[in-house]
Amino acid sequence: MNENTASEPFSYLSIAVSAPVREPYSYAVPECLRSMVHIGSRVLVPFNRRRITGYVVDEISETPDLTLREIEDILDPEPLFHPQMVSFFEWIAEYYRHPLGMVIHASLPGERFKSAMLTRKGKAFVEGRLFDSEAIRILRWIGNNPGKKLPWPMIKIYPFQEKGWIRLENRLKRARKKGILARHMASVRKEPEKPGAMPPTGPHPLNPYQLKALVQINNRLDQGTFAPFLLYGVTGSGKTEVYARAIEHVVKSGRQAILMAPEILLAGYLEGVFRCRLGDRVALYHSGLSKSERLYQWSRMAGGDVDLVIGARSALFAPLSRLGLVIVDEEHDTAYVQAGSAGPPYCARDAAVVRARFESAVVVLGSGTPSVQSFQNAKDSRYHLLEMPERVEQRPMPAMEIVDMRKAKDESGKEPMISPTLQKALRETLDAGNQSILFLNRRGFHQIFLCRSCGRALRCPNCDVSLTFHLNLNRLVCHYCG
């Protein structure tokens, strides 16, 4: 891929369109747009007999033999991703057999919103959303009354989506070419609410196992080369402190980090923890945010205002240009697998390793119960195995006893829902004035609902997990987002 330089604006581009086609298409760039288009820009292009969204993935240095169709517009004031991410998108498209343009589209923060201001001779007279009838009325009035002021006040309505802007562009394109109208475009963004004040969370003293793991990770960070680690630490061994120290190290070196968690709630907690240690250059990014909030965080990341991105699997696509460290906490969790119809099916844990390799970054997969795949990769020396078998401050592991419920019977000889062993332990705990927590293996009446026609499980459109039927509510509920 060729380097994008400001002194040599693009004349021809390779564009991945948001359509079910495998290869990018070549387009020419009109002279008026050459200084504004970059790799990572989202553009509007003609495709067959319609106009669709495309993403610039490369520059074409040689003049094509054929006459190419031109891009029609740039749909964002700044690029959405950096050139080094193109190889990662291409790998996902090839490995998971999904169109490149649709891979890029699915990785971005939903529909792009924008506000527009129509100006006439430098003075704004219409701002916000325009319906087709209003656009026709304005253009007809301007054509019949050149040089006069508009007889109605400025119109301000809510910002509109891309499709609305395209419809408006059809009406205004001719007026813009004649210089009657000009357009100013800006993204509509909303800053997410910051977490409440949290107590200081470190740094904590490191035990020998934590220190050994951190030294190996930091050594590879200093080398600036790709290195995959499996951090195999038992519950309570202090993996989060190792993550924090490694992130602080990579940030001090001028690079950036991604910390992935399997659940949105856990990601929110981690944001509060790391804000205490890194300040405001931390971004939380996941599907639980609104579109405008995701857009705000995305623009911060693309603009270089973020050192650490925390989120669920979608955080893997954060547009960081100086990525040095990727951490996948609880790497065994199935929540890292995207298997729904929204975008390409992929495993964020495996894709994290690939992105780190493309960007010469260190990737750390952490778990107290590693997946079979990751553990085998560590056994085969594909990953560097870091073990932390002891809990912090040498706290003892909890005593565990497995009860065979097939043989459990109460005093009357019946098979109880709670074993006599558990009943006795609960009674002793309560009598001593202590408390107990019982974890059930599932919630709800039915754990999975299948469609009789296609056989697919009904899934949450936001979280892509199976919906659970609750009998008392008589409805399906998502246990991630509610």
Side-chain angles (χ1 to χ4, degrees), residues 19-312:
V21 292
R22 287 188 54 82
E23 301 296 332
Y25 284 75
S26 300
Y27 286 88
V29 186
E31 187 174 355
C32 61
L33 297 179
R34 289 179 185 175
S35 61
M36 297 182 289
V37 67
H38 306 279
I39 293 178
S41 294
R42 190 180 69 134
V43 295
L44 183 67
V45 296
F47 190 77
N48 290 334
R49 297 182 180 180
R50 57 196 176 108
R51 298 192 297 174
I52 62 176
T53 302
Y55 304 93
V56 180
V57 295
D58 201 359
E59 176 192 12
I60 301 175
S61 56
E62 298 181 358
T63 303
D65 297 332
L66 302 176
T67 301
L68 300 180
R69 303 177 75 178
E70 292 184 343
I71 67 172
E72 297 191 1
D73 202 356
I74 301 174
L75 298 178
D76 300 276
E78 68 279 332
L80 301 182
F81 54 88
H82 300 285
Q84 57 265 41
M85 291 187 65
V86 174
S87 298
F88 177 56
F89 289 135
E90 291 174 339
W91 178 86
I92 291 182
E94 178 65 25
Y95 188 81
Y96 293 104
R97 314 303 294 175
H98 203 78
L100 176 59
M102 299 178 74
V103 168
I104 298 174
H105 179 78
S107 70
L108 300 180
E111 283 291 335
R112 193 78 169 177
F113 282 68
K114 59 172 73 70
S115 64
M117 180 180 295
L118 304 181
T119 62
R120 181 180 172 197
K121 295 182 179 180
K123 183 176 181 181
F125 63 86
V126 177
E127 180 181 4
R129 178 173 181 172
L130 291 177
F131 299 95
D132 287 348
S133 60
E134 291 178 313
I136 295 173
R137 180 185 175 196
I138 290 174
L139 291 178
R140 184 181 295 121
W141 193 93
I142 292 175
N144 296 331
N145 302 276
K148 294 184 180 182
K149 295 182 179 180
L150 288 175
W152 57 85
M154 182 181 295
I155 304 170
K156 290 187 177 181
I157 310 179
Y158 290 105
F160 48 89
Q161 295 188 29
E162 174 187 343
K163 292 182 180 178
W165 174 254
I166 294 172
R167 288 196 300 269
L168 180 60
E169 282 283 85
N170 291 331
R171 305 291 187 183
L172 304 182
K173 190 174 182 180
R174 184 175 301 175
R176 289 169 57 202
K177 282 189 174 182
K178 292 182 178 180
I180 298 174
L181 298 177
R183 180 191 57 166
H184 170 72
M185 181 175 63
S187 300
V188 178
R189 305 163 182 170
K190 178 183 177 182
E191 183 177 1
E193 293 184 6
K194 295 182 180 179
M198 294 192 63
T201 56
H204 302 290
L206 300 180
N207 62 33
Y209 291 106
Q210 290 175 299
L211 183 60
K212 181 179 179 180
L214 183 63
V215 167
Q216 294 189 51
I217 294 173
N218 287 349
N219 285 341
R220 296 309 295 262
L221 288 173
D222 292 338
Q223 294 177 21
T225 57
F226 167 67
F229 289 93
L230 174 61
L231 183 59
Y232 181 12
V234 299
T235 303
S237 59
K239 295 187 292 293
T240 302
E241 184 64 27
V242 175
Y243 299 157
R245 297 287 188 99
I247 291 171
E248 289 174 337
H249 186 84
V250 75
V251 169
K252 288 180 181 178
S253 68
R255 303 186 74 181
Q256 299 160 307
I258 296 175
L259 173 58
M260 297 167 59
E263 297 184 16
I264 291 176
L265 292 178
L266 181 57
Y269 164 77
L270 291 173
E271 181 201 15
V273 171
F274 280 92
R275 277 188 182 276
C276 294
R277 301 176 71 157
L278 297 177
D280 290 333
R281 292 182 63 86
V282 176
L284 181 66
Y285 188 80
H286 54 70
S287 60
L289 302 176
S290 67
K291 291 180 180 179
S292 57
E293 289 173 337
R294 292 200 301 272
L295 178 56
Y296 174 84
Q297 297 290 46
W298 190 275
S299 64
R300 289 183 64 214
M301 294 183 283
D305 299 329
V306 172
D307 293 327
L308 171 64
V309 178
I310 303 174

Side-chain angles (χ1 to χ4, degrees), residues 405-410 412-418:
M405 292 298 295
R406 296 172 298 178
K407 301 177 182 180
K409 294 183 180 180
D410 58 17
S412 62
K414 296 181 179 180
E415 297 179 355
M417 294 183 62
I418 298 179

